Structures are given as structure tokens and as C-alpha cells.
Amino acid sequence: MNISIWLIICLILATASIVAVAVYLIIVLIQLKKTTKEMEVTLSKVNSELDMINKVSGKVVNITEKLSNPFISAGAVLYYIFSSFKKKKDGCK
């Protein structure tokens, strides 16, 4: 065979491989674009849900703090009263 035929065959194969890689990259980029759109929609939904959860949990924390403060204070007072009685009983022995 002639060298020019080998060069033509190599040129055709190189061109075909470049076209195949270009088509593959275009398909990958299209799929990547679709995936990013889906992720954006999903993450925006998650973000709105997290905002609602933060609001609800903040309200629960506020209510719990308001209710727990008197109970903790009363519990501390009762603890000190009973601990003082216990100290007095120990001192009497």
C-alpha cells in the first residue's frame, strides 16, 4: 500500500475519534445541566423546609426556656432547703 493511503486512513480515524469525543462531551454537558437544575430545585425546597423547621424549633426553645426557668428556680430552692435540713440532721448527731 501506498503511504498516502495510510495517512488518509489515520486522518479519518483521528477525525472520527475527535468527533466521537466531542459528541460524548456534549451529551455529558447536557446531562450535567439537567442535573444541576434538578439539584437547584431540590435544594431550594430543602432550604424552605429548613427555614420552617428553624422557626418551629426556635418557638419550641423559647417556650421551653420560659417554662423551664421557674421550674429550675423552684427545684434549686427546694434542693437547698432539703440540703440544709440534711446538714442540720448531720450536725445534731
Side-chain angles (χ1 to χ4, degrees), residues 32-88:
L32 187 64
K33 183 179 176 183
K34 289 178 184 177
T35 304
T36 55
K37 284 182 181 179
E38 290 174 3
M39 285 180 61
E40 181 182 3
V41 169
T42 303
L43 290 175
S44 67
K45 288 179 183 177
V46 168
N47 191 21
S48 66
E49 293 292 325
L50 283 176
D51 287 341
M52 288 195 315
I53 289 173
N54 284 337
K55 289 177 184 176
V56 170
S57 64
K59 289 180 182 179
V60 169
V61 166
N62 287 338
I63 291 171
T64 306
E65 286 177 351
K66 288 178 183 176
L67 291 178
S68 67
N69 284 339
F71 291 127
I72 291 173
S73 299
V77 169
L78 290 175
Y79 172 76
Y80 288 121
I81 290 172
F82 287 124
S83 65
S84 66
F85 284 138
K86 185 176 180 182
K87 288 179 186 176
K88 287 182 182 178

